[in-house]
Amino acid sequence: MSDRIETLADQMTLEEKVSILSGEDFWSVPSVARLSIGKLRVTDGPNGARGGGSLIGGVKSASFPVGIALGATWNVDLVREIGAALADEVKSKQAHMLLAPTVNIHRSVTNGRNFECYSEDPILSGELAAAYIIGLQGQGIGATIKHFVGNESEIERTTMSSEIDERALREIYLIPFEWAVKKAQTWGVMSSYNRLNGTYTSEHDWLLSDVLRKDWGYDGIVMSDWFGSHSTAESVNAGLDLEMPGPPRDRGQKLVEAVKSGAVSEATLNQRVIAMLRLMERVGSLDDVRTFKEVADDRPEHRALIRRAGAEAAVLLKNNGALPLKGDGRIAVIGPNAKIAQIMGGGSAQLNAHYRVSPWQGLVDAVGEDRLSYAPGCTNHRFEPVLRGSFRVEYFANEKLDGAPAYVGTQDDAQAFWIGQVAEGKVDPLHFSARLTGSYTPETSGTHRVGIYSAGFAKVYVDGKLIADAWTNWTKGRTFFEEGCDEVVGEVALEAGRAYEVVIEFATKDFATLGLAAFAAGIGLPLGDDAIAEAVRVARNADTAIVFIGRNGEWDTEGSDLPSIELPGRQNELVAAVAHANPNTIVVMQTGGPVEMAWIGSVAALLQAWYPGQEAGNAIVDVLVGAAEPSGRLPQTFPVRWADNPAHSQDREVYPGFEGKVRYEEGIFVGYRHYDRLGLTPLFPFGFGLGYASFTVSDLVIDDAEFEAEGNVMVGVTVTNTSNREGSAVVQLYVSDDAASDPRPAKELKAFRKVKLKPDEVRQITMTLDARAFAFYRAKAKHWLVEDGSFTLRVGLSSADLPLSGTVTRNTTLMLPV
């Protein structure tokens, strides 16, 4: 602790100390003017820096590839570079901390937020998280790794208790956070919404004090997720430094009184204050007295980095010689994601990107529009397409649309996410109503679907007639972080070319956990059999058909798990029909995780492209035409069917949860560990990915001279590029305990290395294993244990392709502290 921090803490009054332990508003911690302590500002991440604006609109920002895409790169150097670039983005939004990275484990393939997290494996997640944090904090911007811990589902996440035994916590779910603390010295940790074994994580003494601070030596701050604090004395005493957002609900005067009454000791309060002052010193906010003005900083170097990273994240899962594209033949461009740039998932990670490049535009730029033909084939949206156009918005300082408007404004589409200040402060953000008036002119005549969903009460009128009513019988659903209703849809016959008046009425309602008001209204015309028939015709008349399918941020989103891993809508039917019409069919998939693929045997190639950020179309097309190598490898096992996933169970308490509990019954057997345990063959294994280059690994050398004394082992291997193209191999090292006293996985990833090689290049690489790589956690004894006996080391290019193996042996046991 610096002398300055100690002096400031001594000079602060009780009220001043308490003031910096909670937010002032949605994105900042207040200044202490008397002592010239500046304001601390934070911004959401992790695939960009949104700034202080809403989830919709706001100052534009760079949109980077999402977490699972970065996980697929297996490239710690690239992720560190992205962390540094994101520091630039945070500075452009005049903030000091980024609420990122997200490192929860892919326990279930249906988790709506898997797209935001790196992997099903804790070592891959931990190494990438550490790199991200080092890159970010190396530029003076604080990281806030999240969500600590057990937030592996979005179902009732603000109240659900994740029932996880300590061994599974230590070996799987805590490791990314432990690596962030021990390897990257993260400055911030965010507690999760959920309870852990019955206690909210924001007031979990064992988690925040024993594990984080005592076991790992953490000296940063713990902040609550937004509205994720539930108590005053309990959270402060357990180790929660900062309640967000502000104004405070559980602190402020309540905390002042708790200190005066002795419920919180002055010593404990000072620990929290010192932690906050130390953070402010680290990020430079102590002396930051500038006027905060956010800017859109669209840098060429960030554009280039996003494009490169998006291409590197792409995983080539099948290729019968169709890729890279060859010749100058005609290309049929088909599918719901062809002309729409799916660049990110939904929820708090979304932002207003500088721009969005669709696959269609990327192909036009790469090969010319004259070679292309297009058919959408079907839709894949979860909600009716948001109505675009100018709307007049009248805001009322009551919830009944009564009297004269308190404020009149405009907005560009029929959606809103109101948090913090609304209508320039003319209405209470939690108690107001609004009327939006605009128009819609359909391109095609027919029966249109009108949809509305809202966190609040809402109605949609078309030419004065009520079409969709999410007001009269409003019921809580799975939208807007579970504060909103499910979409209510009505139908109306519309004529092409005629302008219809659209009026949307909205009023706030009491919230459950998150104080927000929001709605989205859309109008769509369903696509039928004729659309698939047109796609077949277009495919039949082309040399190559590329089908762009998947999901979008309506499906892969915070606040809602997926109902299944089937492709939405008629996409399976579309792929099967196109592949039947043209055997040279390439599928480009954009999802936040696996899908079931009954058609996989009939297509020539499959590229998994995730959500690669604002350069999506360019990055995808770089891979399709061969300008970039698809060097991504799966960070999550793709099962044949959802039922093969470890969290799938007939017992609702295992998933999705029952009566407030979700039981992690599989323990440490998550992801590939589960498939190995049951002998299940996945559709595509963990760590798998093809490429345009090919590689071999050979000449395994194991140096175990320090294994007996220290538990350390050095592993060397030769990697050879056996092709005529430059490319990258991901060498993976797995460890097996041959005769463990406790159940252990058949193998576990413990080290990896991405290697870029020129044609015919040969390189020797070395990977290091420490004692923890061989240990398992003994919950009763409270230590890690490396047992005596033999361990098998396996090296290869995926969890199912491990041609090299060797054995190391210990004669004694080795106990390691937590």
Side-chain angles (χ1 to χ4, degrees):
M1 179 172 62
S2 71
D3 292 341
R4 183 185 181 193
I5 288 175
E6 190 171 9
T7 300
L8 283 173
D10 288 343
Q11 292 175 338
M12 295 175 79
T13 66
L14 172 59
E15 288 73 17
E16 287 169 342
K17 290 178 179 179
V18 166
S19 74
I20 66 168
L21 300 184
S22 58
E24 177 181 52
D25 52 33
F26 228 78
W27 303 112
S28 68
V29 176
S31 63
V32 181
R34 186 180 68 85
L35 298 174
S36 300
I37 296 174
K39 186 190 299 284
L40 173 73
R41 298 186 84 234
V42 303
T43 178
D44 250 327
N47 54 289
R50 186 176 63 248
S54 166
L55 271 64
I56 299 167
V59 178
K60 291 189 174 182
S61 305
S63 174
F64 285 76
V66 300
I68 196 171
L70 297 186
T73 70
W74 291 64
N75 189 335
V76 293
D77 294 332
L78 175 65
V79 173
R80 186 182 301 113
E81 189 178 353
I82 287 173
L86 284 167
D88 295 332
E89 288 293 310
V90 175
K91 292 173 184 177
S92 77
K93 299 304 177 286
Q94 306 291 291
H96 306 101
M97 293 192 79
L98 185 66
L99 306 182
T102 310
V103 295
N104 296 104
I105 297 296
H106 298 163
R107 175 185 181 241
S108 169
V109 291
T110 52
N111 179 20
R113 213 166 179 178
N114 276 349
F115 77 90
E116 197 176 322
C117 310
Y118 295 129
S119 175
E120 70 185 28
D121 183 81
I123 299 299
L124 178 57
S125 296
E127 293 293 339
L128 295 178
Y132 183 107
I133 292 166
I134 289 169
L136 185 69
Q137 293 188 168
Q139 304 302 313
I141 296 298
T144 317
I145 193 168
K146 59 188 186 182
H147 305 87
F148 192 57
V149 64
N151 180 194
E152 276 72 41
S153 170
E154 294 298 290
I155 296 174
E156 298 178 15
R157 63 174 179 157
T158 59
T159 56
M160 189 71 75
S161 178
S162 297
E163 303 291 302
I164 316 173
D165 67 70
E166 187 178 352
R167 184 180 176 195
L169 281 167
R170 295 280 190 175
E171 294 190 23
I172 304 292
Y173 299 98
L174 289 174
I175 281 181
F177 298 94
E178 183 181 1
W179 263 226
V181 171
K182 293 182 176 179
K183 296 189 175 188
Q185 290 78 52
T186 185
W187 297 339
V189 171
M190 180 185 289
S191 61
S192 53
Y193 282 122
N194 54 277
R195 293 176 291 153
L196 175 66
N197 299 323
T199 301
Y200 281 108
T201 62
S202 59
E203 54 191 55
H204 205 297
D205 185 72
W206 176 81
L207 185 65
L208 303 185
S209 292
D210 292 348
V211 174
L212 185 59
R213 291 188 170 91
K214 294 176 185 176
D215 292 349
W216 299 347
Y218 179 61
D219 70 351
I221 69 139
V222 181
M223 72 170 69
S224 72
D225 205 337
W226 267 227
F227 305 103
S229 171
H230 299 272
S231 62
T232 303
E234 292 89 341
S235 69
V236 175
N237 290 335
L240 186 75
D241 299 291
L242 178 62
E243 175 201 0
M244 288 298 287
R249 295 194 301 180
D250 299 320
R251 299 197 174 179
Q253 188 58 35
K254 290 181 181 179
L255 181 50
V256 170
E257 293 171 359
V259 174
K260 289 180 177 179
S261 71
V264 174
S265 70
E266 289 191 15
T268 297
L269 182 76
N270 287 336
Q271 287 177 1
R272 307 289 162 256
V273 171
I274 291 294
M276 285 299 298
L277 292 174
R278 183 187 297 120
L279 171 67
M280 293 173 175
E281 185 174 57
R282 284 169 167 169
V283 301
S285 72
L286 272 181
D287 301 308
D288 196 344
V289 294
R290 62 186 152 159
T291 299
F292 295 103
K293 182 175 176 57
E294 298 181 6
V295 296
D297 189 11
D298 185 7
R299 299 190 181 191
E301 63 269 29
H302 290 176
R303 290 185 172 211
L305 175 59
I306 292 167
R307 182 169 181 167
R308 173 162 54 91
E312 185 166 344
V315 184
L316 186 60
L317 294 174
K318 180 178 180 179
N319 190 20
N320 290 344
L323 291 175
L325 295 172
K326 305 171 186 68
D328 56 0
R330 292 199 57 78
I331 301 171
V333 183
I334 295 168
N337 285 357
K339 285 193 172 183
I340 299 176
Q342 304 295 358
I343 70 172
M344 67 183 89
S348 61
Q350 68 192 57
L351 48 78
N352 187 17
H354 292 304
Y355 56 87
R356 298 168 178 246
V357 180
S358 70
W360 169 265
Q361 188 59 53
L363 281 165
V364 168
D365 294 343
V367 304
E369 192 168 0
D370 57 332
R371 288 179 56 191
L372 308 177
S373 53
Y374 167 72
C378 66
T379 62
N380 65 354
H381 53 70
R382 178 180 172 188
F383 308 117
E384 294 306 316
V386 170
L387 180 57
R388 309 293 179 183
S390 179
F391 283 82
R392 182 176 186 265
V393 188
E394 299 170 285
Y395 294 89
F396 299 86
N398 56 70
E399 291 152 311
K400 299 179 181 180
L401 299 158
D402 279 352
Y407 180 80
V408 178
T410 61
Q411 63 184 58
D412 293 334
D413 50 32
Q415 60 179 342
F417 191 93
W418 290 298
I419 54 176
Q421 190 179 87
V422 175
E424 295 190 357
K426 300 296 177 60
V427 299
D428 182 335
L430 298 178
H431 300 282
F432 72 95
S433 54
R435 180 182 293 114
L436 292 82
T437 304
S439 67
Y440 175 69
T441 304
E443 296 180 359
T444 306
S445 298
T447 300
H448 287 64
R449 288 166 55 87
V450 179
I452 180 77
Y453 57 98
S454 59
F457 303 114
K459 296 179 180 179
V460 183
Y461 298 85
V462 178
D463 270 8
K465 182 180 180 182
L466 177 62
I467 304 299
D469 183 356
W471 190 310
T472 307
N473 296 303
W474 188 97
T475 303
K476 183 178 179 180
R478 298 174 299 152
T479 64
F480 296 120
F481 312 106
E482 296 188 311
E483 291 288 348
C485 62
D486 291 332
E487 186 180 37
V488 176
V489 178
E491 294 185 341
V492 60
L494 303 178
E495 298 176 9
R498 177 185 162 190
Y500 293 83
E501 182 187 61
V502 177
V503 174
I504 302 162
E505 293 181 345
F506 175 89
T508 58
K509 63 177 294 296
D510 292 340
F511 59 89
T513 302
L514 310 180
L516 57 90
F519 80 91
I523 299 180
L525 184 66
L527 297 180
D529 293 345
D530 55 340
I532 292 181
E534 173 63 11
V536 167
R537 185 192 69 78
V538 169
R540 190 176 287 126
N541 292 329
D543 298 287
T544 300
I546 309 179
V547 188
F548 294 90
I549 59 170
R551 299 191 293 256
N552 54 42
E554 296 174 347
W555 296 101
D556 289 303
T557 181
E558 179 180 358
S560 175
D561 275 9
L562 296 161
S564 72
I565 59 169
E566 288 187 7
L567 283 166
R570 300 180 69 179
Q571 293 181 97
N572 283 325
E573 187 180 350
L574 174 65
V575 174
V578 170
H580 182 74
N582 189 328
N584 196 33
T585 292
I586 298 162
V587 172
V588 176
M589 182 86 70
Q590 285 194 264
T591 60
V595 300
E596 296 175 2
M597 307 179 195
W599 40 260
I600 187 62
S602 64
V603 300
L606 170 62
L607 184 71
Q608 175 66 41
W610 319 107
Y611 301 121
Q614 64 192 29
E615 287 280 339
N618 288 334
I620 291 169
V621 172
D622 283 347
V623 173
L624 294 178
V625 301
E629 171 82 4
S631 65
R633 302 294 182 261
L634 288 183
Q636 185 186 90
T637 306
F638 276 29
V640 174
R641 56 186 188 140
W642 181 28
D644 293 342
N645 185 248
H648 190 279
S649 176
Q650 297 302 311
D651 184 344
R652 287 184 58 198
E653 193 173 276
V654 173
Y655 183 85
F658 182 67
E659 294 184 345
K661 295 181 180 180
V662 59
R663 188 175 79 252
Y664 287 41
E665 186 177 57
E666 69 284 356
I668 60 173
F669 294 95
V670 180
Y672 63 88
R673 297 164 173 81
H674 163 82
Y675 298 90
D676 286 349
R677 183 190 195 190
L678 298 186
L680 292 173
T681 300
L683 185 61
F684 298 108
F686 175 78
F688 173 78
L690 305 171
Y692 300 151
S694 56
F695 303 89
T696 61
V697 290
S698 61
D699 304 324
L700 178 67
V701 177
I702 298 174
D703 179 356
D704 61 353
E706 296 183 1
F707 189 44
E708 185 68 38
E710 304 292 338
N712 300 328
V713 175
M714 302 286 287
V715 180
V717 66
T718 299
V719 189
T720 304
N721 184 339
T722 59
S723 69
N724 60 2
R725 279 190 62 116
E726 183 178 70
S728 296
V730 178
V731 182
Q732 301 164 41
L733 170 57
Y734 295 79
V735 174
S736 304
D737 189 338
D738 297 334
S741 60
D742 279 12
R744 298 195 69 179
K747 61 179 180 288
E748 296 179 276
L749 179 74
K750 294 299 180 181
F752 60 91
R753 180 90 174 271
K754 192 162 194 176
V755 188
K756 190 171 187 178
L757 300 177
K758 296 177 180 178
D760 300 319
E761 184 179 356
V762 179
R763 189 181 306 173
Q764 292 181 324
I765 65 168
T766 300
M767 293 175 282
T768 302
L769 299 176
D770 62 12
R772 273 284 294 272
F774 300 91
F776 66 92
Y777 187 74
R778 300 178 74 195
K780 289 184 179 180
K782 305 296 181 185
H783 64 230
W784 294 88
L785 179 68
V786 183
E787 291 191 302
D788 58 333
S790 63
F791 297 82
T792 298
L793 311 184
R794 294 181 170 89
V795 180
L797 299 176
S798 82
S799 62
D801 177 19
L802 300 169
L804 306 180
S805 65
T807 302
V808 295
T809 303
R810 288 185 57 85
N811 297 314
T812 59
T813 61
L814 178 63
M815 290 184 292
L816 306 172
V818 290

